[in-house]
Amino acid sequence: MLVELLPRVGSPRPPAGVLGPGFTLCIVNSGSGLRVFLESTVSPETLSKFYGVKKSGYEEFFKVFGSEVWVGEARLKREFDFYHTDIIVADIPGLVNSLENKGGVCVSVSRDPGLKMVFASKASSLLSKASNTILRGWLACAGC
């Protein structure tokens, strides 16, 4: 469901998972100010505890976003970097506010629980390889 989030003064700080396990957040420069759209499975009622919420549609979103849409994808160079690299996206509102024409930035996030299993499997594999390497080194040195 697509909603527009509106700032609300005095709202409690939302918990980390309030936007759901997977969501797309779009910050758009409409020419008269920034607007924030959210595509998520979280109900508007839940979001309304922390934000002003206005139900929206894609027609409204594309009207505000402008006539051109450019798509890009950011990926880590190596799979190994996923486990050891912090990814920080800083000041998206500042970037969007600096646009000369209508436009914006959308960021999709997935905190898929299945990734825990992938990470656990990778960690187990790395620990197993490390243990074997240490054991071989110890056995080789036992005759020293």
Side-chain angles (χ1 to χ4, degrees), residues 4-132:
E4 183 174 357
L5 298 181
L6 308 166
R8 189 169 29 165
V9 177
S11 293
R13 184 181 185 148
V18 75
L19 299 180
F23 60 90
T24 299
L25 187 69
C26 296
I27 301 174
V28 183
N29 182 344
S30 66
S32 61
L34 297 182
R35 295 176 67 180
V36 179
F37 292 88
L38 173 71
E39 172 69 43
S40 175
T41 58
V42 177
S43 72
E45 293 76 22
T46 299
L47 294 168
S48 68
K49 294 178 183 177
F50 307 100
Y51 307 100
V53 178
K54 178 180 164 188
K55 289 186 181 180
S56 189
Y58 290 101
E59 300 81 23
E60 172 69 13
F61 172 74
F62 286 117
K63 186 171 74 174
V64 172
F65 204 93
S67 60
E68 292 185 36
V69 176
W70 294 76
V71 177
E73 185 174 305
R75 290 181 180 244
L76 298 172
K77 287 185 178 181
R78 300 175 300 155
E79 176 189 346
F80 184 75
D81 291 339
F82 171 79
Y83 304 100
H84 302 286
T85 304
D86 289 330
I87 299 172
I88 299 171
V89 179
D91 198 21
I92 291 176
L95 170 68
V96 173
N97 201 35
S98 71
L99 298 174
E100 294 179 13
N101 300 320
K102 285 184 175 183
V105 173
C106 294
V107 177
S108 292
V109 175
S110 177
R111 294 179 303 163
D112 185 349
L115 291 176
K116 288 182 183 178
M117 294 307 297
V118 171
F119 180 75
S121 172
K122 184 70 170 180
S124 176
S125 172
L126 291 171
L127 285 172
S128 176
K129 288 177 185 177
S131 296
N132 289 339

Side-chain angles (χ1 to χ4, degrees), residues 135-144:
L135 181 61
R136 278 194 300 259
W138 183 78
L139 291 173
C141 188
C144 300

